[in-house]
Amino acid sequence: METKPLQPYLAFLNQKSHRKRQPHTVVFELTYGCNLRCTHCLNPTHRALPEELSTNEVFRILEEMAAFGVLELTLTGGELFTRPDIFQIFKKVSETRFLVTILTNATRLNA
């Protein structure tokens, strides 16, 4: 299989979505929960709130974004790995075939 540089492909996708007048990139904040208290952070609470989206609500939104034509997805929070369902969400993201960026402080990952 031939490998091609990513930047020209992303530029092509950007032009295509611009012509269709649809967003091609979404930043999806999944939780306020975070195990750190960084002074530069704008997170107002650092703890997960009861009204945060359920797993099924996240799945529905991911499906809607895919159907709408979103191509790139950035997952962030708080800290994603404070969500007990994060690996279920990652599986669903994989099934929807987005180009994915994950923003994490990585303190909850083990080698």
Side-chain angles (χ1 to χ4, degrees), residues 15 28 31-32 37 47 51 58 75 83 95 99-100 102-103 108:
Q15 290 172 354
F28 195 173
T31 183
Y32 280 120
R37 304 294 181 266
R47 59 186 164 81
E51 59 270 14
V58 171
L75 297 174
R83 280 192 72 118
E95 292 168 2
L99 295 170
V100 180
I102 296 172
L103 301 180
R108 301 191 75 162

Side-chain angles (χ1 to χ4, degrees), residues 61-110:
I61 292 168
L62 291 170
E63 289 166 0
E64 289 176 5
M65 287 189 296
F68 192 66
V70 171
L71 303 170
E72 295 180 65
L73 175 64
T74 299
L75 297 174
T76 187
E79 171 50 46
L80 295 174
F81 290 97
T82 62
R83 280 192 72 118
D85 60 351
I86 193 60
F87 290 103
Q88 292 172 275
I89 293 171
F90 287 165
K91 185 175 188 303
K92 184 65 170 183
V93 166
S94 173
E95 292 168 2
T96 52
R97 316 246 332 155
F98 294 110
L99 295 170
V100 180
T101 302
I102 296 172
L103 301 180
T104 177
N105 63 34
T107 59
R108 301 191 75 162
L109 298 177
N110 296 322

Side-chain angles (χ1 to χ4, degrees), residues 5-75:
L6 182 60
Q7 290 307 318
Y9 178 66
L10 292 177
F12 164 76
L13 294 177
N14 187 28
Q15 290 172 354
K16 183 177 176 183
S17 67
H18 184 71
R19 281 193 305 272
K20 290 184 172 186
R21 300 184 54 84
Q22 68 190 48
H24 67 84
T25 303
V26 170
V27 177
F28 195 173
E29 294 188 27
L30 292 173
T31 183
Y32 280 120
C34 187
N35 57 321
L36 300 179
R37 304 294 181 266
C38 302
T39 57
H40 63 273
C41 183
L42 299 176
N43 186 331
T45 179
H46 298 286
R47 59 186 164 81
L49 301 177
E51 59 270 14
E52 290 185 350
L53 298 172
S54 70
T55 307
N56 287 333
E57 289 171 322
V58 171
F59 287 178
R60 182 182 49 78
I61 292 168
L62 291 170
E63 289 166 0
E64 289 176 5
M65 287 189 296
F68 192 66
V70 171
L71 303 170
E72 295 180 65
L73 175 64
T74 299
L75 297 174

